[in-house]
């Protein structure tokens, strides 16, 4: 009789705030893909991105956006590692270079929220509409600085661009279909990684504050953003099943290999979040916050004042 994963084990899949624990999980999965994979290059990139978030990277202050924070990047990174493992064992074998490219793109997909020394005004959310292009610019200079293969840039740029909600994935100029596949993995991990977070609904309150700072979107208030998230999820499913090629289904192969069950725990967690969202928005604007209790996020969001 197989052991069914416990609720605690399932919940731990989405507890990714500790970089060292995330790295340990990631390297364990990499060993399942290729036991001889040399992780030294990606460890350097991983450590540098962690330094950037903490404000320890030369020339940059810490990343202060509350939704697009370190935990978000770690969620996306680990989801990408799990997803590429699922893709790999499904029969679409990935080379070591492709594995490295996927992880770099996942780590750097939101790096454009970082602020250069002298740009410390605001939280970085003011770059909402340009953060992907800023991240690509950082990536290009980083490859030179770290003496990494310069041919990576032409592959990473469209892969990172695939996470830009302002761009149609079908219109991104991938150099070949194989790179498009890598981009589908990264874009899928970006959406599923964040929406499966057990505090996703609470963190949407932070996302509203980012959008308000950026003067982005047509949201009247936090409640309105939550209400519109229902339709956002419908659009998200269309992306996942359409231009992203249904890539998320490969997560089941990962969990089958690692946990012995064919569940797609990411999709299940997302569905739970959206089902609970229906209950939240069923309340009036005065009562909905009482439903968002995790992490003290609701209280913190109410204490933050964003200038108009």
């Amino acid at each position: 009789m197989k052991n069914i994963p416990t609720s605690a084990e399932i919940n731990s899949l989405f507890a990714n705030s500790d970089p060292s624990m995330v790295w340990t999980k990631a390297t364990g999965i990499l060993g399942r893909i290729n036991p001889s994979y040399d992780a030294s290059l990606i460890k350097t990139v991983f450590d540098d991105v962690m330094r950037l978030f903490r404000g320890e990277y030369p020339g940059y202050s810490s990343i202060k956006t509350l939704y697009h924070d370190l935990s978000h990047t770690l969620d996306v990174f680990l989801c990408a590692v799990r997803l590429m493992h699922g893709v790999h064992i499904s029969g679409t074998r990935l080379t070591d270079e492709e594995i490295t490219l996927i992880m770099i793109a996942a780590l750097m997909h939101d790096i454009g929220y970082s602020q250069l020394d002298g740009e410390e005004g605001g939280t970085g959310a003011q770059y909402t509409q340009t953060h992907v292009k800023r991240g690509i610019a950082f990536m290009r200079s980083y490859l030179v600085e770290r003496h990494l293969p310069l041919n990576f840039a032409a592959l990473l740029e469209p892969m990172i661009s695939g996470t830009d909600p302002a761009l149609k994935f079908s219109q991104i100029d991938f150099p070949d279909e194989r790179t498009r596949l890598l981009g589908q993995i990264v874009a899928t991990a970006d959406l599923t990684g964040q929406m499966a977070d057990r505090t996703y609904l609470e963190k949407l309150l932070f996302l509203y504050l980012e959008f308000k700072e950026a003067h982005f979107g047509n949201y009247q208030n936090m409640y309105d953003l939550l209400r519109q998230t229902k339709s956002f999820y419908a659009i998200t499913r269309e992306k996942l099943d359409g231009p992203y090629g249904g890539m998320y289904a490969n997560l089941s192969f990962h969990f089958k290999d690692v946990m012995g069950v064919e569940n797609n725990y990411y999709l299940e967690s997302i569905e739970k979040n959206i089902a609970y969202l229906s209950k939240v928005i069923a309340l009036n604007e005065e009562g909905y916050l009482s439903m968002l209790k995790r992490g003290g996020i609701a209280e913190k969001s109410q204490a933050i004042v964003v200038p108009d």
Side-chain angles (χ1 to χ4, degrees), residues 103-114:
M103 289 191 287
I104 293 176
L107 286 168
M108 292 193 175
H109 82 285
D110 276 341
I111 214 72
Y113 286 104
S114 60

Side-chain angles (χ1 to χ4, degrees), residues 32 42 80-81 100 132 143 149 151 161 191 195-196 198 224 236 254 259 270 274 282 303:
R32 289 175 176 267
I42 195 61
V81 174
T100 300
V132 175
L143 293 180
N151 68 301
S161 295
L191 289 178
M195 295 187 75
R198 296 186 74 239
D224 188 39
T236 296
H254 164 77
M259 304 178 79
I270 292 171
I274 299 302

Side-chain angles (χ1 to χ4, degrees), residues 3-308:
N3 294 321
I4 304 298
T6 65
S7 295
E9 289 172 327
I10 295 170
N11 291 341
S12 71
L13 296 171
F14 311 113
N16 301 315
S17 60
D18 183 340
S20 62
M21 288 182 63
V22 169
W23 179 252
T24 298
K25 291 178 182 179
T27 52
I29 298 166
L30 291 172
R32 289 175 176 267
I33 300 175
N34 178 9
S36 62
Y37 176 79
D38 182 358
S40 57
L41 187 158
I42 195 61
K43 184 61 165 67
T44 296
V45 178
F46 183 90
D47 288 344
D48 283 340
V49 170
M50 297 307 105
R51 290 167 59 211
L52 188 55
F53 270 94
R54 294 192 298 261
E56 299 169 1
Y57 196 87
Y60 288 83
S61 60
S62 62
I63 295 180
K64 298 184 285 293
T65 39
L66 293 173
Y67 181 88
H68 293 95
D69 61 355
L70 177 57
S71 292
H72 167 79
T73 287
L74 292 173
D75 280 336
V76 173
F77 170 71
L78 192 54
C79 183
V81 174
R82 288 169 172 153
L83 180 54
M84 68 183 182
H85 174 230
V87 169
H88 188 79
I89 61 178
S90 76
T92 303
R93 300 290 178 173
L94 298 172
T95 68
D96 285 1
E97 182 175 287
E98 290 171 336
I99 291 167
T100 300
L101 287 167
I102 289 168
M103 289 191 287
I104 293 176
L107 286 168
M108 292 193 175
H109 82 285
D110 276 341
I111 214 72
Y113 286 104
S114 60
Q115 294 173 280
L116 288 161
D117 289 342
E119 285 185 333
E120 290 87 347
T123 67
Q126 64 266 37
Y127 306 123
T128 293
Q129 297 181 74
T130 59
H131 78 277
V132 175
K133 290 182 179 179
R134 286 169 59 92
I136 290 169
F138 175 89
M139 175 271 293
R140 286 185 171 277
S141 63
Y142 178 85
L143 293 180
V144 174
E145 180 183 331
R146 281 297 190 185
H147 306 291
L148 300 183
L150 295 183
N151 68 301
F152 278 13
L155 304 174
L156 286 168
E157 178 166 349
M159 290 170 65
I160 295 172
S161 295
T163 67
D164 190 342
L167 296 177
K168 286 188 176 181
F169 195 84
S170 60
Q171 296 178 348
I172 295 173
D173 187 19
F174 289 95
D176 50 56
E177 285 305 306
R178 190 68 180 189
T179 309
R180 181 180 297 275
L181 170 72
L182 306 186
Q184 288 174 321
I185 292 173
V186 175
T188 297
D190 181 27
L191 289 178
T192 56
Q194 64 183 292
M195 295 187 75
D197 183 347
R198 296 186 74 239
T199 58
Y200 171 65
L201 299 182
E202 284 82 0
K203 287 182 177 179
L204 288 175
L205 306 179
F206 285 158
L207 184 60
Y208 169 77
L209 294 174
E210 288 189 16
F211 285 168
K212 184 177 181 181
E213 182 178 345
H215 302 287
F216 175 77
N218 60 344
Y219 307 106
Q220 301 302 310
N221 49 38
M222 291 177 176
Y223 179 83
D224 188 39
L225 184 143
L226 289 168
R227 184 180 59 79
Q228 293 194 44
T229 297
K230 286 282 288 186
S231 57
F232 170 76
Y233 179 56
I235 295 170
T236 296
R237 284 306 300 264
E238 291 176 3
K239 286 184 177 180
L240 292 173
D241 289 319
Y244 298 175
M247 203 63 59
Y248 66 90
N250 290 286
L251 285 162
S252 297
F253 291 106
H254 164 77
F255 290 119
K256 173 67 173 178
D257 187 60
V258 173
M259 304 178 79
V261 292
E262 295 183 7
N263 298 55
N264 189 328
Y265 286 118
Y266 277 90
L267 198 60
E268 290 177 18
S269 183
I270 292 171
E271 295 287 0
K272 287 179 181 178
N273 280 339
I274 299 302
Y276 191 76
L277 175 62
S278 296
K279 298 179 181 180
V280 174
I281 61 178
L283 298 179
N284 57 30
E285 292 189 35
E286 287 70 39
Y288 76 98
L289 285 175
S290 66
M291 300 282 284
L292 302 175
K293 301 176 181 178
R294 288 175 173 165
I297 294 172
E299 291 81 1
K300 185 175 181 180
S301 71
Q302 298 304 295
I304 296 172
V305 177
V306 177
D308 291 325

